[in-house]
């Protein structure tokens, strides 16, 4: 992500430099068009025009160089975007084919991603789950309090965390899940997402 951000910043800088030099070139060309001495020629006018043309040539060369650099940065940006997409698709494929439940929450406690196993165990679709808060997932009050305490501890930097919870899937059906919860940090080493991996151990508890 940092590579993409740096590339975007470099592109913006190059585009700004292009605009600045283009304005300078326009101003220089305007001076050439209006650089007259009442219809007569003079050595001073010749030198002035020669200097203006030299400046225009230098700025044009600089513009061409910046444009080349900009095109190179655009290629890098596209490659970075493609690499990030490939990585996301790769990770997504692994998550959806894993035999463990995977749930990702933002630091405010709302689900942003679940995998196929998670959906199958608690019998809800991804559309029904994403965007929901922990308070609506854990319908057994004591279990929600426990889950919230662990979530807050992980957000504050205490991870990984291993724990178990009883989950009421629907009236009359409960499952015991063994969880391993950790955090994904951002570039500032602050918790950005909380990730929980769960295994259904209901049968082992019987």
């Amino acid at each position: 992500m940092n590579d993409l951000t740096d590339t975007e910043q470099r592109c913006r800088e190059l585009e700004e430099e292009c605009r600045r030099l283009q304005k300078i070139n326009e101003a220089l060309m305007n001076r050439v068009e209006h650089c007259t001495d009442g219809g007569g020629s003079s050595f001073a006018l010749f030198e002035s025009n020669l200097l203006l043309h030299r400046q225009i040539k230098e700025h044009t060369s600089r513009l061409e160089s910046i444009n080349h650099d900009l095109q190179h940065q655009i290629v890098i940006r596209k490659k970075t975007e493609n690499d990030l997409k490939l990585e996301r698709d790769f990770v997504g494929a692994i998550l959806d084919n894993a035999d463990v439940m995977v749930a990702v929450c933002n630091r405010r406690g709302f689900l942003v991603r679940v995998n196929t196993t998670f959906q199958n165990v608690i019998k809800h679709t991804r559309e029904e789950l994403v965007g929901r808060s922990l308070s609506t997932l854990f319908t057994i009050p004591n279990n929600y309090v426990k889950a919230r305490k662990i979530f807050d501890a992980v957000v504050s930097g205490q991870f990984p965390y291993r724990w178990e919870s009883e989950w009421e899937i629907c009236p009359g059906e409960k499952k015991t899940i063994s969880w391993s919860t950790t955090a994904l940090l951002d570039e500032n080493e602050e918790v950005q997402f909380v990730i929980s991996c769960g295994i259904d151990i209901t049968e082992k508890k019987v």
Side-chain angles (χ1 to χ4, degrees):
M1 187 63 69
N2 285 339
D3 290 341
L4 183 56
T5 302
D6 292 343
T7 302
E8 290 175 339
Q9 178 63 29
R10 180 57 178 158
C11 283
R12 284 194 291 268
E13 291 173 354
L14 290 171
E15 289 169 351
E16 181 62 31
E17 180 69 3
C18 274
R19 286 191 290 269
R20 188 182 70 83
L21 288 176
Q22 285 170 350
K23 288 181 179 179
I24 292 176
N25 259 11
E26 290 172 2
L28 290 173
M29 291 299 294
N30 187 59
R31 287 178 61 189
V32 168
E33 292 173 359
H34 294 86
C35 189
T36 63
D37 61 349
S41 298
S42 68
F43 184 72
L45 178 60
F46 173 78
E47 283 191 325
S48 178
N49 278 345
L50 186 62
L51 177 60
L52 287 174
H53 280 292
R54 186 180 297 117
Q55 289 176 330
I56 291 172
K57 183 177 180 180
E58 290 173 354
H59 282 98
T60 300
S61 177
R62 174 61 179 157
L63 274 171
E64 291 174 350
S65 175
I66 289 176
N67 184 62
H68 180 271
D69 195 4
L70 180 58
Q71 294 303 316
H72 178 65
Q73 293 296 328
I74 290 173
V75 171
I76 293 176
R77 176 177 176 176
K78 289 182 178 178
K79 183 180 184 306
T80 303
E81 290 174 340
N82 289 336
D83 289 345
L84 288 173
K85 182 180 183 303
L86 180 62
E87 183 177 345
R88 285 195 298 269
D89 292 345
F90 179 71
V91 172
I94 292 176
L95 289 179
D96 282 335
N97 286 281
D99 290 331
V100 298
M101 302 168 65
V102 179
V104 182
C105 288
N106 60 27
R107 58 181 295 118
R108 296 188 296 118
F110 289 86
L111 276 174
V112 296
R113 181 161 191 168
V114 294
N115 73 339
T116 302
T117 301
F118 189 98
Q119 298 173 68
N120 292 339
V121 171
I122 70 167
K123 300 179 180 179
H124 284 286
T125 65
R126 181 178 283 107
E127 289 73 22
E128 293 172 330
L129 293 166
V130 172
R132 290 177 60 177
S133 68
L134 292 176
S135 61
T136 65
L137 292 174
F138 290 90
T139 55
I140 302 175
N142 289 341
N143 285 342
Y144 167 67
V145 172
K146 179 180 180 180
R148 188 71 213 194
K149 285 182 178 179
I150 292 171
F151 179 87
D152 291 340
V154 172
V155 170
S156 68
Q158 301 175 45
F159 57 85
Y161 220 105
R162 298 186 183 279
W163 54 295
E164 291 182 7
S165 69
E166 191 175 44
W167 205 326
E168 188 176 38
I169 305 301
C170 59
E173 182 181 359
K174 295 180 180 179
K175 290 183 179 294
T176 302
I177 311 297
S178 175
W179 295 101
S180 176
T181 301
T182 188
L184 179 66
L185 307 180
D186 60 19
E187 61 272 12
N188 298 317
E189 298 298 313
E190 295 182 354
V191 174
Q192 186 174 19
F193 297 105
V194 174
I195 304 171
S196 291
C197 297
I199 299 175
D200 183 358
I201 59 172
T202 306
E203 294 183 359
K204 296 180 181 180
K205 288 289 184 177
V206 176

